[in-house]
């Protein structure tokens, strides 16, 4: 392999590695976003359950069904 072919090969390798790193970073960002979305959904569910519990407690306290 002469020098110019070797440099082209190394440039290709570097480009491939950079693309792979970029893909890994995008995957990590996507996973973090999905995780945050799931956490928010769980928090929303808990808030709904607590609100329903408060409504039920008021109904019980006032004798309303």
């Amino acid at each position: 392999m002469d020098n110019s072919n070797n440099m082209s090969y190394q440039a290709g390798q570097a480009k491939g590695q950079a693309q792979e790193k970029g893909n890994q970073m995008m995957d990590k960002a996507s996973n973090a976003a999905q995780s945050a979305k799931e956490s928010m959904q769980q928090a929303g569910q808990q808030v709904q359950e607590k609100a329903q519990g408060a409504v039920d407690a008021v109904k019980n306290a006032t004798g309303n069904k």
Side-chain angles (χ1 to χ4, degrees):
M1 218 188 268
D2 70 17
N3 224 11
S4 64
N5 279 349
N6 192 23
M7 290 187 67
S8 292
Y9 175 78
Q10 289 177 344
Q13 289 286 96
K15 181 181 176 191
Q17 289 171 357
Q19 285 176 332
E20 181 60 28
K21 276 201 175 15
N23 289 341
Q24 289 171 356
M25 289 175 68
M26 289 301 290
D27 286 346
K28 285 182 182 172
S30 177
N31 289 343
Q34 183 64 32
S35 181
K37 179 181 167 191
E38 289 168 5
S39 295
M40 292 301 289
Q41 287 173 336
Q42 287 174 344
Q45 186 69 35
Q46 289 173 346
V47 168
Q48 275 184 319
E49 289 169 4
K50 287 180 181 170
Q52 186 60 51
V55 168
D56 291 343
V58 169
K59 284 181 180 175
N60 289 340
T62 60
N64 292 333
K65 293 281 181 246

